[in-house]
Amino acid sequence: MKIEEIEKELTYKAKHVYEEIDEKEKEFLEKVAKDYIEFLSVVKTERETVEFGKELLEKEGFKENDIKKGYFIYRNKFLACWRIGKRPVTEGLRIIVSHIDSPRLDLKLHPLFEDTELAFLKTHYYGGIKKYHWVAMPLALHGIVAKKDGRVIKIVIGEKEGDCVFTICDLLPHLAKKIQAEKKLSEAIVGEKLNVLVAGIPIEDKNEKVKKRIKLKFLELIYKKYGIKEEDFVSAELYLVPAGSAREVGLDRAFVGGYGQDDRICAFTSLKAFLEVEDPEYTNLILFMDREEIGSEGNTSAKSRIFEGIIYNLLKKAGISSTADTFFNIMTKTKALSADVTAGIDPNYIEVHDKLNDAKLGFGIAVSRYTGHGGKYMANEAHVEFLAWLLKNWDENKVVYQVCSMGKVDEGGGGTVSKYFASYGMDIVDVGPPLLSMHSPFEIAHKGDLYMTYKAFKTFLKV
Ligand code: MN
Ligand code: MN
């Protein structure tokens, strides 16, 4: 072989999505991105994602617990949907699992207080946040209040044009020298001080003995509008999330910026792909999991046994005896994608990245053969036979992908839900678009990666 041939034939070169697709596909990509931005702008909690999914599924003719085209919702925070394939369920499934919870600020159980004629709500953060991200920015309130009489009151404040927003105030630099500037970044903003400013006008009253009049005014307002009393906060799930719409980022509009792309970008793309594959060979199953960001604890998480219940149910409906034996057999024939975002290389922090192995924005869906930390602790590592099968399939269908790691060895690490699903015996690998500013209120994804994630899912569900 000549040197030129060796270079051309034997070396590996990553491909940029925009150099691999034609004008027609670029047009389609823009349409996908537009729909995604719309979705991301309004769907900001796990409950809202389940609602969005349910509405779309019903529009497409899916029915709750239907044997052929069905869906299942658990506690309004977990969604599964399936389409029975040409082959029987006993020959295995094609599963894509993502998570629909994102880091946020939850209201405390007794959140309301007044101090110095200002009213605040106390919060307790959920998931891995950098606390300094959440101060001095507009925040919206999303969630529900479950009343003792059985009513569930839905609340979204801060998203519509003309809505008020909330905020957590930061200290001015003039007075922050000792209390913040000289501290470590992780200690400068204290979790207990993430109190949200919510009111500042006293209740109209002639009786001057009445104290905490700002707090009373807030309670009056919220009671009038929603019928909520102070006591009702104990049975409320109210989250503070960044207010406002997702946006296109960059003069060339290459990126999507917005909150909660980890991991709703995979929820959106997997559901879109699923709905478009109308006649799959194997049974398709899409799962939206909750509680991933705090270690998959609880009965709506990947560590719960809901997944098993769904498979047993599918078997029962197909008239197949749902024994542990059958279940295990199906699992060994099942192929799955753990769809979750990964870290893209940020050239400003190149010291934490391995340039040769980490994911680059714009180079397609990232395949993380393993996650974990240290000596691959807590990692599910995909078997290479499965990986080779998957990549061949993607090559044949012109999916642009990159196989990568996340960060330098011993630099840190992270996990996904893949290890819990791997424990059933199925083949599963972590895939998803790389993000910049991951876990921040304004995460960045490349449109090319968004599109290739959708295309990769669609291809996977067909074979
Ligand atoms: Mn994630
Ligand atoms: Mn995450």
Side-chain angles (χ1 to χ4, degrees), residues 71-360:
Y71 69 86
F72 169 72
I73 290 170
Y74 192 57
R75 299 288 184 258
N76 300 316
K77 296 173 185 175
F78 164 96
L79 180 131
C81 53
W82 57 84
R83 199 194 299 260
I84 303 301
K86 285 182 234 163
R87 299 180 191 231
V89 179
T90 44
E91 289 192 34
L93 297 97
R94 300 290 179 261
I95 299 173
I96 303 178
V97 50
S98 61
H99 68 90
I100 53 174
D101 60 321
S102 298
R104 61 184 189 240
L105 304 179
D106 294 350
L107 288 195
K108 281 202 183 192
L109 313 169
H110 302 281
L112 181 61
F113 71 97
E114 178 185 330
D115 194 345
T116 326
E117 277 65 50
L118 300 169
F120 296 93
L121 294 173
K122 290 169 79 78
T123 67
H124 194 144
Y125 65 96
Y126 170 94
I129 64 162
K130 284 171 151 180
K131 293 174 194 108
Y132 70 86
H133 280 156
W134 292 78
V135 297
M137 65 176 299
L139 297 170
L141 191 68
H142 285 235
I144 61 144
V145 181
K147 300 273 289 178
K148 285 178 188 156
D149 61 12
R151 278 182 300 146
V152 173
I153 297 152
K154 221 188 285 177
I155 294 180
V156 178
I157 307 173
E159 300 291 1
K160 273 196 253 129
E161 181 94 31
D163 263 9
C164 66
V165 293
F166 307 102
T167 196
I168 296 167
C169 300
D170 196 8
L171 193 57
L172 65 169
H174 315 63
L175 296 177
K177 194 169 175 286
K178 283 185 209 145
I179 199 172
Q180 285 184 333
E182 286 168 10
K183 283 190 181 156
K184 285 203 299 190
L185 189 61
S186 60
E187 292 164 3
I189 303 287
V190 181
E192 196 58 50
K193 291 190 184 191
L194 293 177
N195 299 324
V196 188
L197 182 65
V198 292
I201 298 176
I203 197 162
E204 305 81 5
D205 189 69
K206 299 258 166 18
N207 181 358
E208 293 199 354
K209 277 190 200 138
V210 175
K211 297 271 184 291
K212 306 292 179 197
R213 288 164 62 200
I214 311 274
K215 177 182 159 177
L216 290 181
K217 175 84 176 173
F218 175 83
L219 282 172
E220 185 189 45
L221 278 173
I222 203 159
Y223 184 73
K224 267 191 194 157
K225 181 127 198 235
Y226 300 102
I228 299 165
K229 298 178 185 174
E230 190 172 14
E231 186 195 8
D232 294 325
F233 281 111
V234 299
S235 56
E237 279 176 8
L238 291 169
Y239 313 154
L240 272 310
V241 297
S245 298
R247 307 287 295 269
E248 287 179 300
V249 175
L251 197 61
D252 58 0
R253 298 167 187 264
F255 312 99
V256 174
Y259 164 73
Q261 303 206 59
D262 175 7
D263 182 31
R264 282 190 281 276
I265 191 169
C266 289
F268 176 86
T269 45
S270 63
L271 186 60
K272 179 174 170 60
F274 168 79
L275 290 171
E276 290 172 10
V277 178
E278 287 180 8
D279 198 15
E281 190 68 25
Y282 293 86
T283 293
N284 284 181
L285 177 63
I286 300 295
L287 299 168
F288 288 179
M289 311 299 308
D290 181 27
R291 296 261 142 189
E292 192 274 345
E293 294 295 358
I294 52 105
S296 294
E297 306 292 347
N299 66 1
T300 48
S301 78
K303 271 194 208 167
S304 78
R305 315 279 294 265
I306 325 174
F307 168 71
E308 288 166 61
I310 290 167
I311 302 295
Y312 282 129
N313 219 343
L314 284 180
L315 288 175
K316 225 187 322 178
K317 288 208 165 82
I320 302 161
S321 75
S322 51
T323 60
D325 186 43
T326 324
F327 176 81
F328 187 70
N329 210 319
I330 292 171
M331 288 302 109
T332 60
K333 292 173 185 161
T334 289
K335 292 181 166 66
L337 301 180
S338 165
D340 205 346
V341 298
T342 187
I345 294 180
D346 184 338
N348 287 308
Y349 298 97
I350 198 65
E351 59 272 35
V352 303
H353 293 294
D354 172 1
K355 244 184 166 170
L356 194 61
N357 281 286
D358 286 3
K360 291 204 290 184

